[in-house]
């Protein structure tokens, strides 16, 4: 189902993300990467798309809270990253567009109304 | 309509079997799992009340119902999204929990595609989703969308083109200009190898001859075929032709003239994979603005 290469990039991204390493995340982004966050105005998030590797890497690491649990899951038929609170509730779902060895777009869904279907995981 | 409990059991069974497909259509149309569930519920109410004995194909009946409801819903959803705070993204779906949505019908499910679909008209979106993700035949699509087969084909092909263009990031203006210059040189020389090298694997060549000039009426598809097509007419075509490069519609174009008169304009769209589209404008009535 997944292209092997894409999957590897997503896993590398998740590993850097889990470590909270802005530098490692940045190295996996294309220079003109774009991050779009949908918060529906319900939680704090950038209201306009964020552009550029530095800004996107920072915007992604800002999603981490103490105890955030991060996993690679099937998001809309492709590997994506899901962030949960320590008690298992999904707080962010990230879908990534991969271009070659790097990530060129990050879509971040934060609107709690849109995450109700994400079951808690152990 | 019947109150016979056995008949109702039957109705439930039929509906449950088609339900995943209805969810798949509605979700792709609306980008919202919650709204999709509401629509499917609405279809169930209609199915319960319908004269089911008269329905020849429940699948066709139910998918038509959900498609029409989704077209209406997406019109009002669009209005609501105008007041949405910040960017709107689809509601992500966990495809490991809902295999029908994902695995074998993965088309038109990724964020990238859903976001392009958002920008198409609801009918275009419906045509694309039903065709690409669920493989409905064109005659059935025409009936579902209350249109003709030819019009539906047109909708699907337009949507496909938009999605293809969107998937790839176009190269910069300078890069496009370089590729165009190289392409014109290779076409003029009839150099098959060079042409192939410049083209993306699924490149398409379109010619608008307007019926007035000699041009291929059909798009030519595929790297090798596009390359061969351009080699095939290189000899006569280029005799006495002068090429001038310029800008039109914000992009680099090559203007071909013979005896001081522009008779064709060529441009290319390209991504990192090479030239995706070669566009030939040879319709005399459309060239007057340039020459």
């Amino acid at each position: 189902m997944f292209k092997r290469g894409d999957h590897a990039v997503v896993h590398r991204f998740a590993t850097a993300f889990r470590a909270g390493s802005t530098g490692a995340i940045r190295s996996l982004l294309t220079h003109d990467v774009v991050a779009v966050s949908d918060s529906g105005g319900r939680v704090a998030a950038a209201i306009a798309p964020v552009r550029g590797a530095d800004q996107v890497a920072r915007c992604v690491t800002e999603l981490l809270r103490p105890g955030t649990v991060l996993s690679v899951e099937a998001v809309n038929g492709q590997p994506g990253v899901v962030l949960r609170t320590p008690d298992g509730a999904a707080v962010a779902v990230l879908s990534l567009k991969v271009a070659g060895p790097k990530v060129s777009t990050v879509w971040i869904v934060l609107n709690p109304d849109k995450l109700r279907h994400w079951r808690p995981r152990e | 309509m019947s109150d016979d409990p056995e008949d109702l059991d039957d109705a439930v069974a039929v509906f449950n079997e088609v339900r995943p497909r209805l969810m798949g259509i509605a979700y792709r149309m609306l980008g919202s799992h919650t709204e999709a569930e509401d629509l499917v519920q609405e279809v169930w109410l209609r199915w319960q009340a319908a004269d089911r004995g008269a329905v020849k194909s429940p699948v066709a009946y139910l998918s038509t119902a959900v498609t029409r409801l989704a077209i209406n819903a997406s019109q009002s959803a669009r209005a609501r999204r105008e007041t949405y705070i910040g960017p709107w993204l689809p509601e992500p779906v966990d495809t490991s929990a809902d295999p029908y949505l994902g695995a074998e019908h993965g088309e038109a499910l990724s964020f990238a595609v859903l976001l392009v679909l958002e920008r198409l008209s609801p009918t275009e979106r419906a045509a694309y989703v039903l065709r690409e993700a669920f493989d409905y035949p064109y005659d059935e699509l025409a009936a579902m969308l209350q249109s003709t087969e030819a019009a539906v084909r047109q909708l699907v092909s337009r949507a496909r083109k938009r999605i293809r263009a969107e998937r790839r990031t176009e190269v910069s203006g300078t890069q496009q200009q370089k590729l165009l210059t190289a392409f014109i040189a290779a076409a003029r020389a009839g150099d098959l190898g060079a042409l192939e090298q410049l083209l993306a694997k699924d490149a398409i060549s379109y010619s608008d001859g307007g019926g007035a000039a000699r041009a291929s009426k059909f798009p030519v598809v595929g790297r090798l075929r596009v390359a061969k097509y351009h080699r095939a007419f290189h000899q006569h075509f280029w005799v006495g032709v002068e090429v001038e490069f310029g800008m039109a519609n914000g992009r680099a174009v090559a203007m071909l003239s013979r005896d001081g008169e522009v008779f064709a304009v060529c441009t290319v769209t390209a991504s990192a994979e090479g030239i995706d589209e070669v566009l030939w404008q040879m319709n005399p009535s459309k060239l007057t603005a340039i020459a």
Side-chain angles (χ1 to χ4, degrees):
Chain A
M1 177 59 215
F2 302 135
K3 268 192 272 162
R4 200 166 290 219
D6 292 4
H7 217 146
V9 176
V10 176
H11 275 284
R12 278 202 289 276
F13 178 87
T15 306
F17 194 175
R18 200 175 281 126
S21 166
T22 313
I25 294 174
R26 194 197 302 121
S27 72
L28 291 166
L29 304 172
T30 62
H31 75 279
D32 55 354
V33 60
V34 182
V36 183
S37 306
D38 176 342
S39 67
R42 304 269 318 270
V43 292
I47 220 91
V50 172
R51 286 167 203 282
D54 282 335
Q55 279 81 347
V56 171
R58 219 170 307 136
C59 145
V60 165
T61 19
E62 273 168 15
L63 296 171
L64 292 174
R65 299 275 176 278
T68 299
V69 182
L70 195 149
S71 54
V72 174
E73 292 176 31
V75 178
N76 286 50
Q78 284 171 355
V81 178
V82 181
L83 267 53
R84 291 189 170 80
T85 59
D87 57 359
V91 286
V93 173
L94 282 76
S95 177
L96 309 169
K97 183 175 176 184
V98 173
K102 295 193 172 183
V103 172
S104 61
T105 310
V106 185
W107 291 290
I108 309 170
V109 179
L110 295 162
N111 186 343
D113 291 342
K114 294 188 178 182
L115 299 177
R116 275 181 293 166
H117 289 278
W118 288 80
R119 303 158 304 159
R121 298 255 157 115
E122 60 294 333
Chain B
M1 179 168 169
S2 151
D3 294 322
D4 178 359
E6 229 170 87
D7 179 54
L8 196 60
D9 281 351
D10 230 32
V12 174
V14 168
F15 189 81
N16 280 341
E17 200 171 312
V18 190
R19 183 187 206 107
R21 172 183 296 223
L22 302 182
M23 270 305 289
I25 296 171
Y27 174 74
R28 284 167 176 82
M29 286 288 294
L30 301 167
S32 162
H33 199 271
T34 317
E35 285 175 53
E37 276 178 337
D38 290 347
L39 284 199
V40 172
Q41 187 56 29
E42 171 74 33
V43 174
W44 160 244
L45 294 177
R46 292 187 182 202
W47 179 236
Q48 232 184 334
D51 177 10
R52 292 185 297 275
V55 173
K56 262 188 265 162
S57 160
V59 178
Y61 177 93
L62 293 168
S63 34
T64 302
V66 84
T67 302
R68 294 204 184 139
L69 285 171
I71 288 175
N72 288 338
S74 60
Q75 259 136 5
S76 51
R78 180 163 294 191
R80 270 204 312 283
R81 272 167 214 160
E82 277 166 18
T83 56
Y84 195 83
I85 302 172
W88 178 93
L89 292 176
E91 200 175 309
V93 283
D94 178 353
T95 37
S96 65
D98 200 342
Y100 194 90
L101 265 176
E104 67 270 61
H105 293 279
E107 292 82 2
L109 195 60
S110 71
F111 267 48
V113 174
L114 287 174
L115 287 165
V116 185
L117 289 178
E118 257 306 289
R119 300 213 291 276
L120 303 176
S121 77
T123 329
E124 266 174 345
R125 200 181 316 156
Y128 181 83
V129 164
L130 293 166
R131 179 68 197 165
E132 292 297 287
F134 298 98
D135 226 11
Y136 281 81
Y138 282 110
D139 56 344
E140 220 171 292
L141 281 187
M144 291 169 82
L145 299 172
Q146 293 166 297
S147 181
T148 64
E149 211 178 303
V152 170
R153 277 179 194 275
Q154 192 68 43
L155 289 176
V156 174
S157 110
R158 262 211 306 267
R160 272 191 196 138
K161 246 165 84 182
R162 290 281 294 273
I163 283 156
R164 246 167 48 104
E166 209 64 36
R167 260 193 196 157
R168 298 189 179 160
T169 320
E170 268 200 49
V171 297
S172 68
T174 7
Q175 191 61 22
Q176 185 237 348
Q177 197 168 358
K178 267 193 207 154
L179 284 167
L180 176 66
T181 311
F183 176 80
I184 293 290
R188 175 160 220 166
D191 184 340
L192 191 66
L195 285 168
E196 273 193 87
Q197 253 180 12
L198 290 165
L199 297 162
K201 205 169 134 253
D202 52 357
I204 299 191
S205 166
Y206 295 97
S207 318
D208 179 353
R214 256 189 297 163
S216 170
K217 282 200 189 79
F218 305 100
V220 181
V221 185
R223 177 188 284 151
L224 187 60
R225 288 176 61 200
V226 173
K228 281 186 172 165
Y229 168 72
H230 284 89
R231 183 188 55 178
F233 69 67
H234 90 276
Q235 273 167 336
H236 300 292
F237 184 83
W238 292 97
V239 178
V241 169
E242 268 191 64
V243 181
E244 203 186 318
F245 290 93
M247 297 291 283
N249 294 46
R251 55 191 314 126
V253 296
M255 289 170 285
L256 278 56
S257 56
R258 206 180 273 126
D259 305 322
E261 201 181 319
V262 175
F263 68 97
V265 173
C266 179
T267 187
V268 298
T269 59
S271 63
E273 289 170 53
I275 296 174
D276 295 317
E277 288 180 332
V278 182
L279 304 146
W280 283 99
Q281 183 54 265
M282 304 180 75
N283 186 341
S285 62
K286 293 187 186 169
L287 292 173
T288 47
I290 286 182

PDB file of all heavy atoms in Angstrom, chain B residues 86-110:
ATOM      1  N   GLY B  86      -9.089  30.266  10.261  1.00  0.00           N
ATOM      2  CA  GLY B  86      -7.825  29.679   9.823  1.00  0.00           C
ATOM      3  C   GLY B  86      -8.042  28.684   8.711  1.00  0.00           C
ATOM      4  O   GLY B  86      -9.136  28.539   8.183  1.00  0.00           O
ATOM      5  N   PRO B  87      -6.977  27.978   8.321  1.00  0.00           N
ATOM      6  CA  PRO B  87      -7.076  27.038   7.201  1.00  0.00           C
ATOM      7  C   PRO B  87      -8.007  25.866   7.534  1.00  0.00           C
ATOM      8  O   PRO B  87      -8.083  25.443   8.683  1.00  0.00           O
ATOM      9  CB  PRO B  87      -5.645  26.527   7.033  1.00  0.00           C
ATOM     10  CG  PRO B  87      -4.782  27.431   7.834  1.00  0.00           C
ATOM     11  CD  PRO B  87      -5.634  28.037   8.892  1.00  0.00           C
ATOM     12  N   TRP B  88      -8.703  25.399   6.503  1.00  0.00           N
ATOM     13  CA  TRP B  88      -9.571  24.236   6.655  1.00  0.00           C
ATOM     14  C   TRP B  88      -8.857  23.011   6.088  1.00  0.00           C
ATOM     15  O   TRP B  88      -8.334  23.056   4.976  1.00  0.00           O
ATOM     16  CB  TRP B  88     -10.887  24.457   5.911  1.00  0.00           C
ATOM     17  CG  TRP B  88     -11.811  23.279   5.990  1.00  0.00           C
ATOM     18  CD1 TRP B  88     -12.797  23.089   6.908  1.00  0.00           C
ATOM     19  CD2 TRP B  88     -11.837  22.133   5.120  1.00  0.00           C
ATOM     20  NE1 TRP B  88     -13.419  21.887   6.676  1.00  0.00           N
ATOM     21  CE2 TRP B  88     -12.859  21.283   5.594  1.00  0.00           C
ATOM     22  CE3 TRP B  88     -11.087  21.737   4.005  1.00  0.00           C
ATOM     23  CZ2 TRP B  88     -13.164  20.063   4.990  1.00  0.00           C
ATOM     24  CZ3 TRP B  88     -11.387  20.518   3.410  1.00  0.00           C
ATOM     25  CH2 TRP B  88     -12.421  19.695   3.888  1.00  0.00           C
ATOM     26  N   LEU B  89      -8.816  21.933   6.854  1.00  0.00           N
ATOM     27  CA  LEU B  89      -8.262  20.678   6.356  1.00  0.00           C
ATOM     28  C   LEU B  89      -9.326  19.594   6.511  1.00  0.00           C
ATOM     29  O   LEU B  89     -10.233  19.722   7.333  1.00  0.00           O
ATOM     30  CB  LEU B  89      -7.013  20.287   7.156  1.00  0.00           C
ATOM     31  CG  LEU B  89      -5.767  21.165   6.998  1.00  0.00           C
ATOM     32  CD1 LEU B  89      -4.660  20.694   7.929  1.00  0.00           C
ATOM     33  CD2 LEU B  89      -5.265  21.150   5.554  1.00  0.00           C
ATOM     34  N   PRO B  90      -9.225  18.536   5.723  1.00  0.00           N
ATOM     35  CA  PRO B  90     -10.190  17.438   5.893  1.00  0.00           C
ATOM     36  C   PRO B  90     -10.070  16.833   7.286  1.00  0.00           C
ATOM     37  O   PRO B  90      -9.042  16.982   7.942  1.00  0.00           O
ATOM     38  CB  PRO B  90      -9.766  16.419   4.837  1.00  0.00           C
ATOM     39  CG  PRO B  90      -8.842  17.110   3.920  1.00  0.00           C
ATOM     40  CD  PRO B  90      -8.238  18.242   4.674  1.00  0.00           C
ATOM     41  N   GLU B  91     -11.138  16.159   7.700  1.00  0.00           N
ATOM     42  CA  GLU B  91     -11.096  15.439   8.962  1.00  0.00           C
ATOM     43  C   GLU B  91     -10.308  14.156   8.709  1.00  0.00           C
ATOM     44  O   GLU B  91     -10.714  13.361   7.869  1.00  0.00           O
ATOM     45  CB  GLU B  91     -12.545  15.096   9.318  1.00  0.00           C
ATOM     46  CG  GLU B  91     -12.824  14.790  10.737  1.00  0.00           C
ATOM     47  CD  GLU B  91     -14.334  14.587  10.926  1.00  0.00           C
ATOM     48  OE1 GLU B  91     -15.122  15.444  10.495  1.00  0.00           O
ATOM     49  OE2 GLU B  91     -14.706  13.548  11.478  1.00  0.00           O
ATOM     50  N   PRO B  92      -9.169  13.962   9.371  1.00  0.00           N
ATOM     51  CA  PRO B  92      -8.374  12.765   9.037  1.00  0.00           C
ATOM     52  C   PRO B  92      -9.114  11.486   9.410  1.00  0.00           C
ATOM     53  O   PRO B  92      -9.837  11.455  10.397  1.00  0.00           O
ATOM     54  CB  PRO B  92      -7.112  12.931   9.887  1.00  0.00           C
ATOM     55  CG  PRO B  92      -7.459  13.900  10.964  1.00  0.00           C
ATOM     56  CD  PRO B  92      -8.575  14.754  10.458  1.00  0.00           C
ATOM     57  N   VAL B  93      -8.944  10.451   8.604  1.00  0.00           N
ATOM     58  CA  VAL B  93      -9.549   9.161   8.941  1.00  0.00           C
ATOM     59  C   VAL B  93      -8.466   8.111   9.189  1.00  0.00           C
ATOM     60  O   VAL B  93      -7.455   8.069   8.496  1.00  0.00           O
ATOM     61  CB  VAL B  93     -10.522   8.635   7.855  1.00  0.00           C
ATOM     62  CG1 VAL B  93     -11.846   9.365   7.944  1.00  0.00           C
ATOM     63  CG2 VAL B  93      -9.925   8.750   6.471  1.00  0.00           C
ATOM     64  N   ASP B  94      -8.727   7.311  10.189  1.00  0.00           N
ATOM     65  CA  ASP B  94      -7.815   6.227  10.555  1.00  0.00           C
ATOM     66  C   ASP B  94      -8.117   5.051   9.638  1.00  0.00           C
ATOM     67  O   ASP B  94      -9.083   4.329   9.834  1.00  0.00           O
ATOM     68  CB  ASP B  94      -8.069   5.863  12.018  1.00  0.00           C
ATOM     69  CG  ASP B  94      -7.199   4.709  12.479  1.00  0.00           C
ATOM     70  OD1 ASP B  94      -6.507   4.109  11.640  1.00  0.00           O
ATOM     71  OD2 ASP B  94      -7.229   4.413  13.675  1.00  0.00           O
ATOM     72  N   THR B  95      -7.299   4.879   8.607  1.00  0.00           N
ATOM     73  CA  THR B  95      -7.628   3.859   7.607  1.00  0.00           C
ATOM     74  C   THR B  95      -7.298   2.448   8.066  1.00  0.00           C
ATOM     75  O   THR B  95      -7.669   1.493   7.409  1.00  0.00           O
ATOM     76  CB  THR B  95      -6.946   4.162   6.258  1.00  0.00           C
ATOM     77  OG1 THR B  95      -5.653   4.702   6.495  1.00  0.00           O
ATOM     78  CG2 THR B  95      -7.764   5.157   5.480  1.00  0.00           C
ATOM     79  N   SER B  96      -6.599   2.320   9.203  1.00  0.00           N
ATOM     80  CA  SER B  96      -6.393   0.954   9.693  1.00  0.00           C
ATOM     81  C   SER B  96      -7.655   0.498  10.425  1.00  0.00           C
ATOM     82  O   SER B  96      -7.967  -0.685  10.485  1.00  0.00           O
ATOM     83  CB  SER B  96      -5.175   0.887  10.618  1.00  0.00           C
ATOM     84  OG  SER B  96      -5.414   1.651  11.779  1.00  0.00           O
ATOM     85  N   ALA B  97      -8.418   1.459  10.966  1.00  0.00           N
ATOM     86  CA  ALA B  97      -9.653   1.112  11.666  1.00  0.00           C
ATOM     87  C   ALA B  97     -10.810   0.964  10.684  1.00  0.00           C
ATOM     88  O   ALA B  97     -11.808   0.328  10.972  1.00  0.00           O
ATOM     89  CB  ALA B  97      -9.989   2.183  12.696  1.00  0.00           C
ATOM     90  N   ASP B  98     -10.675   1.575   9.530  1.00  0.00           N
ATOM     91  CA  ASP B  98     -11.746   1.560   8.542  1.00  0.00           C
ATOM     92  C   ASP B  98     -11.173   1.103   7.212  1.00  0.00           C
ATOM     93  O   ASP B  98     -10.946   1.899   6.306  1.00  0.00           O
ATOM     94  CB  ASP B  98     -12.329   2.981   8.421  1.00  0.00           C
ATOM     95  CG  ASP B  98     -13.712   2.957   7.806  1.00  0.00           C
ATOM     96  OD1 ASP B  98     -14.058   1.939   7.182  1.00  0.00           O
ATOM     97  OD2 ASP B  98     -14.424   3.958   7.942  1.00  0.00           O
ATOM     98  N   PRO B  99     -10.914  -0.195   7.099  1.00  0.00           N
ATOM     99  CA  PRO B  99     -10.159  -0.685   5.937  1.00  0.00           C
ATOM    100  C   PRO B  99     -10.831  -0.367   4.616  1.00  0.00           C
ATOM    101  O   PRO B  99     -10.160  -0.151   3.617  1.00  0.00           O
ATOM    102  CB  PRO B  99     -10.083  -2.199   6.151  1.00  0.00           C
ATOM    103  CG  PRO B  99     -10.749  -2.495   7.429  1.00  0.00           C
ATOM    104  CD  PRO B  99     -11.340  -1.248   7.993  1.00  0.00           C
ATOM    105  N   TYR B 100     -12.146  -0.315   4.617  1.00  0.00           N
ATOM    106  CA  TYR B 100     -12.801  -0.081   3.329  1.00  0.00           C
ATOM    107  C   TYR B 100     -12.451   1.294   2.771  1.00  0.00           C
ATOM    108  O   TYR B 100     -12.254   1.466   1.580  1.00  0.00           O
ATOM    109  CB  TYR B 100     -14.319  -0.224   3.443  1.00  0.00           C
ATOM    110  CG  TYR B 100     -14.965  -0.316   2.083  1.00  0.00           C
ATOM    111  CD1 TYR B 100     -15.157  -1.549   1.474  1.00  0.00           C
ATOM    112  CD2 TYR B 100     -15.320   0.827   1.385  1.00  0.00           C
ATOM    113  CE1 TYR B 100     -15.692  -1.643   0.211  1.00  0.00           C
ATOM    114  CE2 TYR B 100     -15.864   0.748   0.115  1.00  0.00           C
ATOM    115  CZ  TYR B 100     -16.053  -0.488  -0.464  1.00  0.00           C
ATOM    116  OH  TYR B 100     -16.572  -0.564  -1.718  1.00  0.00           O
ATOM    117  N   LEU B 101     -12.357   2.266   3.669  1.00  0.00           N
ATOM    118  CA  LEU B 101     -11.997   3.617   3.230  1.00  0.00           C
ATOM    119  C   LEU B 101     -10.586   3.645   2.667  1.00  0.00           C
ATOM    120  O   LEU B 101     -10.272   4.392   1.763  1.00  0.00           O
ATOM    121  CB  LEU B 101     -12.055   4.577   4.422  1.00  0.00           C
ATOM    122  CG  LEU B 101     -13.339   5.357   4.633  1.00  0.00           C
ATOM    123  CD1 LEU B 101     -13.233   6.174   5.905  1.00  0.00           C
ATOM    124  CD2 LEU B 101     -13.617   6.274   3.454  1.00  0.00           C
ATOM    125  N   GLY B 102      -9.719   2.814   3.251  1.00  0.00           N
ATOM    126  CA  GLY B 102      -8.318   2.880   2.893  1.00  0.00           C
ATOM    127  C   GLY B 102      -7.914   1.882   1.847  1.00  0.00           C
ATOM    128  O   GLY B 102      -8.086   2.100   0.660  1.00  0.00           O
ATOM    129  N   ALA B 103      -7.408   0.784   2.337  1.00  0.00           N
ATOM    130  CA  ALA B 103      -6.730  -0.229   1.530  1.00  0.00           C
ATOM    131  C   ALA B 103      -7.072  -0.266   0.045  1.00  0.00           C
ATOM    132  O   ALA B 103      -6.420   0.394  -0.759  1.00  0.00           O
ATOM    133  CB  ALA B 103      -6.938  -1.597   2.152  1.00  0.00           C
ATOM    134  N   GLU B 104      -8.104  -1.018  -0.328  1.00  0.00           N
ATOM    135  CA  GLU B 104      -8.254  -1.278  -1.766  1.00  0.00           C
ATOM    136  C   GLU B 104      -8.915  -0.125  -2.518  1.00  0.00           C
ATOM    137  O   GLU B 104      -8.949  -0.111  -3.719  1.00  0.00           O
ATOM    138  CB  GLU B 104      -8.993  -2.603  -2.008  1.00  0.00           C
ATOM    139  CG  GLU B 104     -10.433  -2.612  -1.583  1.00  0.00           C
ATOM    140  CD  GLU B 104     -10.571  -3.070  -0.148  1.00  0.00           C
ATOM    141  OE1 GLU B 104     -10.033  -2.413   0.757  1.00  0.00           O
ATOM    142  OE2 GLU B 104     -11.221  -4.095   0.081  1.00  0.00           O
ATOM    143  N   HIS B 105      -9.431   0.845  -1.775  1.00  0.00           N
ATOM    144  CA  HIS B 105     -10.035   1.988  -2.459  1.00  0.00           C
ATOM    145  C   HIS B 105      -9.350   3.281  -2.037  1.00  0.00           C
ATOM    146  O   HIS B 105      -9.979   4.266  -1.727  1.00  0.00           O
ATOM    147  CB  HIS B 105     -11.531   2.058  -2.181  1.00  0.00           C
ATOM    148  CG  HIS B 105     -12.272   0.918  -2.791  1.00  0.00           C
ATOM    149  ND1 HIS B 105     -12.629   0.898  -4.107  1.00  0.00           N
ATOM    150  CD2 HIS B 105     -12.681  -0.264  -2.281  1.00  0.00           C
ATOM    151  CE1 HIS B 105     -13.250  -0.247  -4.372  1.00  0.00           C
ATOM    152  NE2 HIS B 105     -13.282  -0.969  -3.287  1.00  0.00           N
ATOM    153  N   GLY B 106      -8.027   3.204  -1.999  1.00  0.00           N
ATOM    154  CA  GLY B 106      -7.254   4.331  -1.486  1.00  0.00           C
ATOM    155  C   GLY B 106      -7.275   5.590  -2.354  1.00  0.00           C
ATOM    156  O   GLY B 106      -6.902   6.645  -1.894  1.00  0.00           O
ATOM    157  N   GLU B 107      -7.736   5.475  -3.572  1.00  0.00           N
ATOM    158  CA  GLU B 107      -7.697   6.633  -4.458  1.00  0.00           C
ATOM    159  C   GLU B 107      -8.508   7.784  -3.896  1.00  0.00           C
ATOM    160  O   GLU B 107      -9.540   7.596  -3.279  1.00  0.00           O
ATOM    161  CB  GLU B 107      -8.228   6.285  -5.857  1.00  0.00           C
ATOM    162  CG  GLU B 107      -7.352   5.336  -6.625  1.00  0.00           C
ATOM    163  CD  GLU B 107      -7.606   3.898  -6.211  1.00  0.00           C
ATOM    164  OE1 GLU B 107      -8.488   3.671  -5.364  1.00  0.00           O
ATOM    165  OE2 GLU B 107      -6.899   3.027  -6.726  1.00  0.00           O
ATOM    166  N   ALA B 108      -8.037   8.973  -4.177  1.00  0.00           N
ATOM    167  CA  ALA B 108      -8.748  10.185  -3.780  1.00  0.00           C
ATOM    168  C   ALA B 108      -8.966  10.236  -2.282  1.00  0.00           C
ATOM    169  O   ALA B 108     -10.002  10.658  -1.806  1.00  0.00           O
ATOM    170  CB  ALA B 108     -10.088  10.294  -4.519  1.00  0.00           C
ATOM    171  N   LEU B 109      -7.988   9.792  -1.529  1.00  0.00           N
ATOM    172  CA  LEU B 109      -8.149   9.780  -0.087  1.00  0.00           C
ATOM    173  C   LEU B 109      -7.060  10.596   0.604  1.00  0.00           C
ATOM    174  O   LEU B 109      -7.217  11.036   1.733  1.00  0.00           O
ATOM    175  CB  LEU B 109      -8.117   8.330   0.411  1.00  0.00           C
ATOM    176  CG  LEU B 109      -8.614   8.110   1.820  1.00  0.00           C
ATOM    177  CD1 LEU B 109     -10.063   8.567   1.951  1.00  0.00           C
ATOM    178  CD2 LEU B 109      -8.503   6.648   2.205  1.00  0.00           C
ATOM    179  N   SER B 110      -5.944  10.786  -0.067  1.00  0.00           N
ATOM    180  CA  SER B 110      -4.852  11.507   0.573  1.00  0.00           C
ATOM    181  C   SER B 110      -5.225  12.982   0.740  1.00  0.00           C
ATOM    182  O   SER B 110      -6.066  13.504   0.017  1.00  0.00           O
ATOM    183  CB  SER B 110      -3.587  11.406  -0.273  1.00  0.00           C
ATOM    184  OG  SER B 110      -3.737  12.169  -1.436  1.00  0.00           O
TER     185      SER B 110
END
